[in-house]
Amino acid sequence: MYALVNGAFLLLAGGLADTLGRKTLFLTGTALFVVLSLAVSFAKSSLSFTILMALLGLPPAVLAPAGTGILGAVFPPSRTKAIAFASLGAGQPIGFIVGLVLGGIFAHKWRALYWLLAALSACLGVQAIFSLPPDIHLSRKQIFGQLKEFDWTGASLSGAGATCLIFALSDAESAPDGWSTPYIPALLPTSATFIVSFLWWEEKRERDQKHTLLPLSIWKAKGLGTMIGVVFFAWAPFNALSYLCTLMYQQVQLLSPIRTAIYFLPMCGAGLFLNVLAGSLTGKVSTLKLILIGVLLNAAACSAFIFLNPNAGYALGMLWVMLLTVGPDIFFSAANLLIQNSVGQDQQALAGSLFNFATAFGLAICSAISTATSRKYTAQHSVIGSANDESTISASSSTRTILSTSSGISSRALLEGLRAAGWACLVFNVLSITVAVAGLRGGGDTAAKRRAGVEVIGDGLGPFSDPSLSSAPSQQQLEALGNNFELRRLPTRSSDAEGDNAAARSRRLPGQPIAEAPNATGSNIIEGDS
């Protein structure tokens, strides 16, 4: 339910952040997280706990696009921007591991965990008030005008489509009759209807030059659709394999929550290292190469998981899965930069919501497929335990024997099911490589970045243009790009400028000026070697 609410509100939150102010939405999301965390800690029944946990998925849906949009708008295309997004990526493994450790520590005092989360969020919210750049001041009349013109119909259609789809995929395996449960197959065409209606509505709104939640014209940017596809297929096995590792530790190896958290620590270190490395490589190494490296690392983790010998010690088995699983982190910065640079400055939060929606949607589909595969193979290899019939897997690190689970399914059967799920994750890696090679080969991942008359086109995403420049960048700035880019002038067609002005009007809300595209005879272009 948490993932359901989170995925359903991502696009809406991104649109509101770009409309009302990213800092405003960021602080709103932080306040919601504090309030809902405290509410969860005082839940008295399983029903109230479930409802509140579902609502707790809303604050991250607000925070993610708003925070990403702030970084995208504050930093011009530069190496500093690459480092900023690499730092954002580095925060994810830290949060993941800290959450695991705290979960292990407070396993039997879970209410205290939510008190701690509320206190930390409140402290960070206060810091954000003073450290984040202020939004453009809007009068009350302007705010009401923008909310009136906001694309609420598009937000409703996209939210309904995402809700139906994610719920069907997530609940299919736990439903009474699985995929045969009547409401599961009914939700799939229903979600498709909502999504198709959403696309039709957005095309109509953009054609009428009204505010659109997701202008379809942004998909014309080179590499944007490809990168969204790569993120979808790459982050799905990344997140799913992390969950499968938890099952391996706790259901097959029967480790305690604390020991499970300790075994995940190498993943944090590997994630930090790859994000730091990504910050230095972005702009120097092509995006396609970074994607291939990251996906191949995760594919190696899937392979190690599939052929894992449960009798081997941690150093010879799961340690390597932990280290390699985070491979996609190496192109987290490059992926975000390409998506951010594919939209205008007024849609940076929308770009952040696209990235996070791709990861959430990918996780839902990959989890559904891997879970179905795992259960199928577990059932095929099940051995019902009895007093005289226990399936055992010896652990080389101790004399402890892993016995059948309390459900009556042997550890050997669970292991075979998890291995089958690993194969499903590996298939997603293959699809990610296929999409990347087909769409980004030969410099297809470059996208025009219009910034104050200077456009940056290149293989890497680190090149920049300074908005303060009135003409060409200086020689010193060109040298900072690695001497892989050349300056030349290309004609700007009048029809291009008119098209840009129409797109700007379709995104304009009351109180916002229309940013007319220049109708000049030429523009400064920095083009990189393919």
Side-chain angles (χ1 to χ4, degrees):
M1 296 299 292
Y2 176 95
L4 178 69
V5 174
N6 182 269
F9 284 92
L10 278 171
L11 285 179
L12 172 61
L16 286 176
D18 286 327
T19 301
L20 301 179
R22 299 166 189 124
K23 181 178 181 179
T24 299
L25 265 289
F26 189 89
L27 295 177
T28 301
T30 304
L32 283 174
F33 192 85
V34 173
V35 172
L36 290 173
S37 295
L38 290 175
V40 169
S41 69
F42 291 105
K44 299 297 183 181
S45 64
S46 59
L47 177 61
S48 61
F49 179 81
T50 301
I51 294 175
L52 290 171
M53 281 301 299
L55 293 176
L56 197 59
L58 177 59
V62 176
L63 287 167
T68 306
I70 290 173
L71 291 181
V74 169
F75 296 99
S78 61
R79 192 167 303 282
T80 303
K81 187 173 185 178
I83 295 174
F85 276 98
S87 302
L88 176 65
Q92 297 191 25
I94 295 176
F96 178 74
I97 295 302
V98 170
L100 277 177
V101 173
L102 291 178
I105 295 174
F106 294 100
H108 302 292
K109 297 180 180 180
W110 61 271
R111 296 182 191 274
L113 174 61
Y114 288 95
W115 297 339
L116 178 61
L117 290 177
L120 291 175
S121 298
C123 293
L124 292 175
V126 172
Q127 182 183 10
I129 293 175
F130 298 101
S131 61
L132 295 181
D135 295 325
I136 298 176
H137 176 71
L138 298 175
S139 65
R140 180 176 299 181
K141 181 179 180 180
Q142 288 176 316
I143 292 175
F144 282 113
Q146 291 189 0
L147 290 176
K148 181 180 178 180
E149 295 297 323
F150 189 80
D151 186 12
W152 294 108
T153 301
S156 301
L157 291 173
S158 65
T163 299
C164 292
L165 182 59
I166 295 176
F167 180 78
L169 295 174
S170 303
D171 196 57
E173 290 302 315
S174 59
D177 297 321
W179 287 92
S180 300
T181 307
Y183 66 82
I184 296 297
L187 284 174
L188 295 178
T190 302
S191 66
T193 301
F194 279 123
I195 293 173
V196 171
S197 300
F198 167 69
L199 296 176
W200 171 82
W201 177 257
E202 295 303 282
E203 192 276 335
K204 180 178 182 300
R205 294 272 297 187
E206 188 172 16
R207 187 175 63 250
D208 295 340
Q209 298 185 8
K210 296 180 179 180
H211 174 264
T212 54
L213 183 65
L214 181 63
L216 300 187
S217 60
I218 70 173
W219 297 106
K220 296 179 182 180
K222 292 183 179 179
L224 176 60
T226 298
M227 185 57 75
I228 293 294
V230 169
V231 170
F232 170 84
F233 286 115
W235 258 263
F238 177 12
N239 294 320
L241 189 60
S242 301
Y243 173 68
L244 295 177
C245 289
T246 303
L247 297 182
M248 176 69 74
Y249 286 140
Q250 296 191 340
Q251 292 191 2
V252 177
Q253 298 182 349
L254 301 182
L255 299 182
S256 66
I258 286 289
R259 195 170 181 182
T260 298
I262 293 174
Y263 279 7
F264 267 98
L265 288 177
M267 181 185 287
C268 175
L272 283 173
F273 171 76
L274 288 180
N275 277 284
V276 172
L277 181 63
S280 61
L281 292 180
T282 302
K284 297 179 181 179
V285 179
S286 70
T287 305
L288 178 59
K289 291 180 180 178
L290 292 176
I291 291 173
L292 293 178
I293 293 172
V295 175
L296 288 175
L297 287 175
N298 188 263
C302 293
S303 301
F305 185 84
I306 292 168
F307 298 104
L308 177 70
N309 178 9
N311 294 322
Y314 176 73
L316 298 177
M318 288 299 293
L319 173 61
W320 295 100
V321 179
M322 297 289 96
L323 294 175
L324 298 172
T325 297
V326 295
D329 271 341
I330 199 170
F331 64 92
F332 176 89
S333 175
N336 269 287
L337 284 173
L338 188 147
I339 296 173
Q340 293 286 332
N341 291 332
S342 296
V343 301
Q345 284 292 102
D346 60 336
Q347 293 178 307
Q348 293 296 295
L350 172 64
S353 65
L354 287 176
F355 181 93
N356 286 278
F357 185 80
T359 59
F361 185 41
L363 175 60
I365 290 186
C366 185
S367 296
I369 295 175
S370 60
T371 301
T373 305
S374 175
R375 292 195 176 189
K376 176 182 178 182
Y377 278 82
T378 298
Q380 291 177 357
H381 294 83
S382 291
V383 177
I384 304 301
S386 64
N388 299 319
D389 183 17
E390 291 180 335
S391 175
T392 63
I393 302 177
S394 300
S396 61
S397 59
S398 67
T399 58
R400 176 177 57 86
T401 300
I402 302 175
L403 304 177
S404 302
T405 63
S406 59
S407 63
I409 301 177
S410 69
S411 293
R412 177 63 64 183
L414 288 171
L415 178 62
E416 293 301 324
L418 292 176
R419 283 174 173 170
W423 281 108
C425 292
L426 187 60
V427 170
F428 272 76
N429 280 305
V430 174
L431 293 174
S432 180
I433 292 176
T434 302
V435 171
V437 172
L440 302 181
R441 183 177 56 184
D445 60 333
T446 57
K449 308 169 186 69
R450 298 180 181 270
R451 296 294 184 273
V454 179
E455 296 184 351
V456 180
I457 305 176
D459 186 75
L461 297 175
F464 65 91
S465 62
D466 188 340
S468 65
L469 293 175
S470 58
S471 57
S474 66
Q475 182 63 32
Q476 181 181 3
Q477 289 170 321
L478 290 176
E479 291 175 356
L481 302 181
N483 294 322
N484 293 324
F485 300 84
E486 61 178 352
L487 180 67
R488 64 190 182 93
R489 301 179 67 85
L490 293 179
T492 300
R493 295 178 298 177
S494 175
S495 58
D496 290 342
E498 294 173 359
D500 289 343
N501 294 336
R505 285 191 293 269
S506 71
R507 296 191 298 269
R508 184 179 65 88
L509 292 172
Q512 291 181 334
I514 300 179
E516 300 289 340
N519 186 9
T521 58
S523 60
N524 294 323
I525 305 294
I526 305 175
E527 183 160 357
D529 301 328
S530 299

